[in-house]
Amino acid sequence: MKSLEERIIKDGEIKDGSVLKVDGFLNHRIDIGLLQDIGTEFYRLFKDSGVTKIITIEASGIGIACIAAQYFNVPVVFAKKSRTSNLTGEVYSGQIYSFTHQCFTDIYIKKDYLSRDDRILIIDDFLARGGALDGLIRIVDDSGAHLVGAGIVIEKAFQGGGDIIRSRGIRVESLAIVESVENGRIVFRDQ
Ligand code: 5GP
């Protein structure tokens, strides 16, 4: 998605060689016009997949998933990262390694909110080593629902997660794929 690549070049910052900071439009201040374009693009890619539910993970995935869900007209379920007293009843759970926090985190989705009849689209902001996406895929598998694929806003291909997950036959559509960072310059994969 050309406009997204241009925005990353204009407002993104590379930290420590591999972390892309996009706080100005995606992760802290959110550009809703851009999110609408992102939602429209996910809809174009997955509109024929019979999506019945979008799944994401808190916190940064939620806004993106909700705007995309308006185009699909389906509910969003987000995996919670803590088991608060609000989360009652049986849950699907998993453990993921958090790239940004550099530690293992448990994730939970209430069993009532996933059904075997669901056709699930997973949406997230970033795909790096694939831990977060893999954790969500395992929960979808446990529920018996059908995974139609994953929609990712920014994939960092040099961290390998996308290729590993695609090699398992899972459809992963990333709107901007960062192939490499060379001397602080972001190089995108031609799509
Ligand atoms: P993975 O689990 O694929 O290694 O990393 C994906 C998760 O880590 C995403 O949900 C995202 O929140 C976070 N993440 C990974 N890389 C980056 C990055 O470069 N920038 C930001 N802002 N978040 C990232």
Side-chain angles (χ1 to χ4, degrees):
M1 192 176 144
K2 213 66 209 153
S3 59
L4 174 64
E5 292 182 2
E6 285 165 7
R7 192 64 184 271
I8 294 169
I9 297 287
K10 182 169 164 277
D11 292 330
E13 280 173 66
I14 294 289
K15 298 274 173 197
D16 308 323
S18 67
V19 175
L20 178 55
K21 228 168 152 283
V22 287
D23 280 15
F25 59 95
L26 195 66
N27 285 150
H28 194 14
R29 179 176 58 182
I30 300 176
D31 181 333
I32 298 301
L34 179 66
L35 247 56
Q36 285 170 333
D37 293 344
I38 286 169
T40 305
E41 185 60 5
F42 283 141
Y43 184 67
R44 186 185 70 78
L45 291 163
F46 288 101
K47 65 177 184 316
D48 299 324
S49 301
V51 174
T52 62
K53 211 165 267 171
I54 292 177
I55 286 190
T56 189
I57 187 163
E58 68 177 358
S60 14
I62 298 175
I64 302 161
C66 286
I67 290 198
Q70 290 185 310
Y71 300 97
F72 290 89
N73 199 19
V74 298
V76 171
V77 176
F78 66 90
K80 294 193 172 217
K81 287 184 177 160
S82 58
R83 205 171 171 179
T84 59
S85 53
N86 287 335
L87 190 59
T88 51
E90 284 194 73
V91 292
Y92 297 109
S93 62
Q95 204 176 47
I96 58 164
Y97 186 76
S98 164
F99 179 83
T100 35
H101 296 103
Q102 309 237 316
C103 62
F104 284 94
T105 309
D106 293 316
I107 56 169
Y108 307 94
I109 290 183
K110 194 176 164 93
K111 285 196 175 175
D112 290 352
Y113 298 152
L114 290 181
S115 116
R116 299 182 70 80
D117 302 331
D118 274 324
R119 293 177 62 81
I120 305 284
L121 171 63
I122 296 175
I123 282 186
D124 204 4
D125 59 345
F126 274 89
L127 171 58
R129 300 201 174 104
L133 182 53
D134 183 55
L136 292 174
I137 291 170
R138 275 185 277 129
I139 286 181
V140 174
D141 287 347
D142 286 352
S143 76
H146 178 78
L147 178 68
V148 306
I152 303 293
V153 180
I154 305 172
E155 175 178 340
K156 294 184 295 177
F158 57 92
Q159 288 176 314
D163 289 339
I164 292 170
I165 289 172
R166 287 188 188 93
S167 73
R168 288 158 47 188
I170 294 167
R171 180 177 177 199
V172 180
E173 298 282 359
S174 300
L175 304 189
I177 302 185
V178 178
E179 195 72 78
S180 61
V181 178
E182 289 160 18
N183 303 319
R185 198 175 69 88
I186 297 169
V187 180
F188 290 104
R189 181 179 291 179
D190 281 335
Q191 302 197 70

